[in-house]
Coordinates of all heavy atoms in Angstrom, one line a residue:
V29 N -14.7 -20.6 -2.5 CA -14.2 -20.4 -3.8 C -14.3 -18.9 -4.2 O -15.4 -18.3 -4.1 CB -14.9 -21.3 -4.9 CG1 -14.4 -21.0 -6.3 CG2 -14.7 -22.8 -4.5
L30 N -13.2 -18.4 -4.6 CA -13.1 -17.0 -5.0 C -12.9 -16.9 -6.5 O -11.9 -17.5 -7.0 CB -11.9 -16.3 -4.3 CG -11.6 -14.8 -4.7 CD1 -12.8 -13.9 -4.3 CD2 -10.3 -14.4 -4.1
F31 N -13.9 -16.3 -7.2 CA -13.8 -16.3 -8.7 C -13.1 -15.1 -9.2 O -13.5 -13.9 -8.9 CB -15.3 -16.4 -9.3 CG -16.0 -17.7 -9.0 CD1 -16.9 -17.8 -8.0 CD2 -15.6 -18.8 -9.7 CE1 -17.6 -19.0 -7.7 CE2 -16.3 -20.0 -9.4 CZ -17.2 -20.1 -8.4
L32 N -12.1 -15.2 -10.0 CA -11.2 -14.1 -10.4 C -10.9 -14.3 -11.9 O -11.1 -15.4 -12.5 CB -9.9 -14.1 -9.6 CG -10.0 -13.9 -8.1 CD1 -8.6 -14.1 -7.5 CD2 -10.6 -12.5 -7.8
R33 N -10.4 -13.2 -12.5 CA -9.7 -13.3 -13.8 C -8.5 -14.2 -13.7 O -7.8 -14.2 -12.7 CB -9.3 -12.0 -14.3 CG -10.4 -11.1 -14.8 CD -9.9 -9.7 -15.0 NE -8.6 -9.6 -15.7 CZ -8.5 -9.4 -17.0 NH1 -9.5 -9.1 -17.8 NH2 -7.3 -9.3 -17.5
D34 N -8.2 -15.0 -14.8 CA -7.1 -15.9 -14.7 C -5.8 -15.2 -14.4 O -5.0 -15.8 -13.6 CB -7.0 -16.7 -16.0 CG -6.9 -15.8 -17.2 OD1 -7.1 -14.6 -17.1 OD2 -6.6 -16.3 -18.3
D35 N -5.5 -14.0 -14.9 CA -4.3 -13.4 -14.7 C -4.2 -12.7 -13.3 O -3.1 -12.3 -12.9 CB -4.0 -12.3 -15.8 CG -5.1 -11.4 -16.0 OD1 -6.2 -11.5 -15.3 OD2 -5.0 -10.4 -16.8
D36 N -5.3 -12.7 -12.5 CA -5.2 -12.2 -11.2 C -5.0 -13.3 -10.1 O -4.7 -13.0 -9.0 CB -6.6 -11.5 -10.8 CG -6.7 -10.2 -11.6 OD1 -5.7 -9.6 -11.9 OD2 -7.9 -9.8 -11.8
I37 N -5.1 -14.5 -10.5 CA -5.0 -15.6 -9.5 C -3.6 -15.7 -8.9 O -3.5 -15.8 -7.7 CB -5.5 -16.9 -10.2 CG1 -7.0 -16.9 -10.5 CG2 -5.2 -18.1 -9.2 CD1 -7.5 -18.1 -11.2
P38 N -2.5 -15.7 -9.7 CA -1.2 -15.9 -9.1 C -0.9 -14.8 -8.0 O -0.4 -15.1 -7.0 CB -0.2 -15.8 -10.3 CG -1.0 -16.3 -11.4 CD -2.4 -15.7 -11.2
Q39 N -1.2 -13.5 -8.3 CA -1.0 -12.4 -7.4 C -1.9 -12.6 -6.2 O -1.4 -12.3 -5.0 CB -1.3 -11.1 -8.1 CG -1.0 -9.9 -7.2 CD -1.3 -8.6 -7.8 OE1 -2.0 -8.5 -8.8 NE2 -0.6 -7.5 -7.3
S40 N -3.1 -13.0 -6.3 CA -4.0 -13.2 -5.2 C -3.5 -14.3 -4.2 O -3.6 -14.1 -3.0 CB -5.4 -13.6 -5.7 OG -5.9 -12.5 -6.5
V41 N -2.9 -15.4 -4.8 CA -2.4 -16.4 -4.0 C -1.1 -16.0 -3.3 O -0.9 -16.2 -2.1 CB -2.2 -17.7 -4.8 CG1 -1.4 -18.7 -4.0 CG2 -3.5 -18.3 -5.3
A42 N -0.2 -15.3 -4.0 CA 1.0 -14.9 -3.4 C 0.8 -13.8 -2.4 O 1.5 -13.8 -1.3 CB 1.9 -14.3 -4.6
G43 N -0.2 -13.0 -2.5 CA -0.5 -11.9 -1.6 C -1.4 -12.4 -0.4 O -1.6 -11.6 0.5
G44 N -1.8 -13.6 -0.4 CA -2.6 -14.1 0.7 C -4.1 -13.8 0.6 O -4.9 -14.1 1.5
V45 N -4.6 -13.2 -0.5 CA -6.0 -13.0 -0.6 C -6.7 -14.3 -0.8 O -7.8 -14.5 -0.3 CB -6.3 -12.1 -1.9 CG1 -7.8 -12.0 -2.2 CG2 -5.7 -10.7 -1.7
A46 N -6.1 -15.2 -1.5 CA -6.5 -16.6 -1.5 C -5.4 -17.5 -1.0 O -4.2 -17.1 -1.1 CB -6.9 -17.0 -3.0
D47 N -5.7 -18.7 -0.5 CA -4.7 -19.6 0.1 C -4.1 -20.4 -1.0 O -2.9 -20.7 -1.0 CB -5.4 -20.5 1.1 CG -6.0 -19.7 2.3 OD1 -5.2 -18.9 2.9 OD2 -7.2 -19.9 2.6
V48 N -5.0 -20.9 -1.9 CA -4.5 -21.7 -3.1 C -5.3 -21.2 -4.3 O -6.3 -20.5 -4.2 CB -4.7 -23.2 -2.9 CG1 -3.9 -23.7 -1.7 CG2 -6.2 -23.5 -2.7
G49 N -4.8 -21.6 -5.5 CA -5.5 -21.3 -6.7 C -5.3 -22.3 -7.7 O -4.3 -23.0 -7.8
I50 N -6.3 -22.4 -8.7 CA -6.2 -23.3 -9.8 C -6.0 -22.4 -11.0 O -6.9 -21.6 -11.3 CB -7.4 -24.2 -9.9 CG1 -7.4 -25.2 -8.7 CG2 -7.3 -25.0 -11.3 CD1 -8.6 -26.1 -8.7
V51 N -4.9 -22.5 -11.7 CA -4.6 -21.5 -12.8 C -3.8 -22.2 -13.9 O -3.1 -23.2 -13.6 CB -3.8 -20.3 -12.2 CG1 -2.4 -20.8 -11.7 CG2 -3.7 -19.2 -13.2
G52 N -3.9 -21.7 -15.1 CA -3.1 -22.2 -16.2 C -1.6 -22.0 -15.9 O -1.2 -20.9 -15.4
E53 N -0.7 -22.9 -16.3 CA 0.7 -22.8 -16.1 C 1.2 -21.6 -16.9 O 2.2 -20.9 -16.4 CB 1.4 -24.1 -16.6 CG 2.9 -24.1 -16.3 CD 3.5 -25.5 -16.7 OE1 2.7 -26.4 -17.1 OE2 4.7 -25.6 -16.5
N54 N 0.6 -21.3 -18.0 CA 1.0 -20.1 -18.8 C 0.9 -18.8 -18.0 O 1.8 -18.0 -18.0 CB 0.2 -20.0 -20.1 CG -1.3 -20.1 -19.8 OD1 -1.8 -21.0 -19.3 ND2 -2.0 -19.1 -20.3
E55 N -0.2 -18.6 -17.2 CA -0.4 -17.4 -16.4 C 0.6 -17.4 -15.2 O 1.1 -16.4 -14.9 CB -1.8 -17.3 -16.0 CG -2.8 -17.0 -17.1 CD -2.6 -15.6 -17.6 OE1 -1.9 -14.8 -17.0 OE2 -3.2 -15.3 -18.7
F56 N 0.8 -18.6 -14.6 CA 1.7 -18.7 -13.5 C 3.1 -18.3 -13.9 O 3.8 -17.5 -13.1 CB 1.6 -20.1 -12.9 CG 2.5 -20.3 -11.7 CD1 2.2 -19.7 -10.5 CD2 3.6 -21.1 -11.8 CE1 3.1 -19.9 -9.4 CE2 4.5 -21.3 -10.7 CZ 4.2 -20.7 -9.5
V57 N 3.6 -18.8 -15.0 CA 4.9 -18.5 -15.4 C 5.1 -17.1 -15.8 O 6.1 -16.4 -15.5 CB 5.4 -19.5 -16.6 CG1 6.7 -19.1 -17.1 CG2 5.4 -20.9 -16.1
E58 N 4.1 -16.5 -16.5 CA 4.1 -15.2 -17.0 C 4.2 -14.2 -15.8 O 4.9 -13.2 -15.8 CB 2.9 -14.9 -17.9 CG 2.8 -13.4 -18.3 CD 3.9 -13.0 -19.3 OE1 4.5 -13.8 -19.9 OE2 4.2 -11.8 -19.3
R59 N 3.4 -14.4 -14.8 CA 3.2 -13.5 -13.7 C 4.4 -13.5 -12.7 O 4.7 -12.5 -12.0 CB 1.9 -13.7 -12.9 CG 0.7 -13.6 -13.7 CD 0.5 -12.3 -14.4 NE -0.4 -12.4 -15.6 CZ -0.6 -11.5 -16.4 NH1 0.0 -10.3 -16.3 NH2 -1.4 -11.6 -17.5
Q60 N 5.1 -14.6 -12.6 CA 6.3 -14.7 -11.7 C 6.0 -14.2 -10.3 O 6.8 -13.5 -9.7 CB 7.4 -13.8 -12.3 CG 8.0 -14.4 -13.6 CD 8.8 -15.7 -13.4 OE1 9.7 -15.8 -12.7 NE2 8.3 -16.7 -14.1
E61 N 4.9 -14.7 -9.7 CA 4.6 -14.3 -8.3 C 5.2 -15.3 -7.4 O 5.5 -16.5 -7.7 CB 3.1 -14.3 -8.2 CG 2.4 -13.2 -9.0 CD 2.6 -11.8 -8.4 OE1 3.1 -11.6 -7.3 OE2 2.3 -10.8 -9.1
N62 N 5.3 -14.9 -6.1 CA 5.8 -15.8 -5.1 C 4.8 -16.8 -4.5 O 4.2 -16.6 -3.4 CB 6.4 -14.9 -3.9 CG 7.0 -15.8 -2.8 OD1 7.6 -16.8 -3.1 ND2 7.0 -15.3 -1.6
A63 N 4.5 -17.7 -5.4 CA 3.6 -18.8 -5.0 C 4.3 -20.1 -5.4 O 5.1 -20.1 -6.3 CB 2.2 -18.7 -5.6
E64 N 3.8 -21.2 -4.8 CA 4.5 -22.5 -5.1 C 3.5 -23.5 -5.8 O 2.3 -23.4 -5.6 CB 5.0 -23.2 -3.9 CG 4.0 -23.4 -2.8 CD 4.6 -23.9 -1.5 OE1 5.8 -23.8 -1.4 OE2 3.9 -24.5 -0.7
I65 N 4.1 -24.3 -6.7 CA 3.2 -25.3 -7.4 C 3.0 -26.5 -6.4 O 4.0 -27.1 -6.0 CB 3.9 -25.8 -8.7 CG1 4.1 -24.7 -9.7 CG2 3.1 -26.9 -9.3 CD1 4.9 -25.0 -10.9
I66 N 1.8 -26.7 -6.1 CA 1.4 -27.8 -5.2 C 1.2 -29.1 -6.0 O 1.6 -30.2 -5.6 CB 0.2 -27.5 -4.4 CG1 0.5 -26.3 -3.5 CG2 -0.3 -28.7 -3.5 CD1 -0.7 -25.7 -2.8
K67 N 0.5 -29.0 -7.1 CA 0.1 -30.2 -7.9 C -0.2 -29.8 -9.3 O -0.8 -28.8 -9.6 CB -1.1 -30.9 -7.3 CG -1.4 -32.2 -7.9 CD -2.6 -32.9 -7.2 CE -2.9 -34.2 -7.8 NZ -1.7 -35.2 -7.7
R68 N 0.3 -30.6 -10.3 CA -0.1 -30.5 -11.7 C -1.4 -31.3 -11.8 O -1.5 -32.5 -11.4 CB 1.0 -31.1 -12.6 CG 2.2 -30.2 -12.6 CD 3.3 -30.7 -13.5 NE 4.4 -29.7 -13.6 CZ 4.4 -28.7 -14.5 NH1 3.4 -28.5 -15.3 NH2 5.4 -27.9 -14.5
L69 N -2.4 -30.7 -12.4 CA -3.8 -31.3 -12.4 C -4.1 -32.0 -13.7 O -5.0 -32.8 -13.7 CB -4.8 -30.2 -12.1 CG -4.7 -29.5 -10.8 CD1 -5.7 -28.4 -10.6 CD2 -4.9 -30.5 -9.6
G70 N -3.3 -31.8 -14.7 CA -3.5 -32.7 -15.9 C -4.6 -32.3 -16.8 O -4.8 -33.1 -17.8
F71 N -5.3 -31.2 -16.6 CA -6.4 -30.9 -17.6 C -6.1 -29.4 -18.1 O -5.1 -28.8 -17.7 CB -7.8 -31.0 -16.9 CG -8.0 -30.2 -15.7 CD1 -8.3 -28.8 -15.7 CD2 -8.0 -30.8 -14.4 CE1 -8.5 -28.1 -14.6 CE2 -8.2 -30.1 -13.3 CZ -8.5 -28.7 -13.3
S72 N -7.0 -29.0 -19.0 CA -6.8 -27.7 -19.7 C -5.4 -27.6 -20.3 O -4.7 -26.6 -20.2 CB -7.0 -26.5 -18.7 OG -8.4 -26.5 -18.3
R73 N -5.0 -28.6 -21.0 CA -3.7 -28.6 -21.6 C -3.7 -27.8 -22.9 O -4.7 -27.8 -23.6 CB -3.3 -30.1 -22.0 CG -3.1 -31.0 -20.8 CD -2.6 -32.3 -21.3 NE -2.5 -33.3 -20.2 CZ -1.4 -33.4 -19.4 NH1 -0.4 -32.6 -19.5 NH2 -1.4 -34.3 -18.4
C74 N -2.7 -27.0 -23.1 CA -2.5 -26.2 -24.3 C -1.0 -26.0 -24.4 O -0.2 -26.5 -23.7 CB -3.3 -24.9 -24.2 SG -2.8 -23.8 -22.8
R75 N -0.6 -25.1 -25.3 CA 0.8 -24.7 -25.5 C 0.9 -23.3 -25.9 O -0.1 -22.7 -26.5 CB 1.4 -25.6 -26.6 CG 0.7 -25.6 -28.0 CD 1.2 -26.7 -28.8 NE 0.5 -26.7 -30.2 CZ -0.7 -27.3 -30.4 NH1 -1.3 -27.9 -29.4 NH2 -1.2 -27.2 -31.6
L76 N 2.0 -22.7 -25.7 CA 2.3 -21.3 -26.1 C 3.2 -21.4 -27.3 O 4.3 -22.0 -27.2 CB 2.9 -20.5 -25.0 CG 2.0 -19.9 -23.9 CD1 2.8 -19.3 -22.8 CD2 1.0 -18.9 -24.5

């Protein structure tokens, strides 16, 4: 497990620093990195 800031996770996964990541959908959509959604986990729900 690699512990990072939430806004660094999409880039780390897209760049291969991490293989997978657990991140808020808000950060994933905002960062627009080349990573794929594997599974919706159903927790940490919120809204923008």
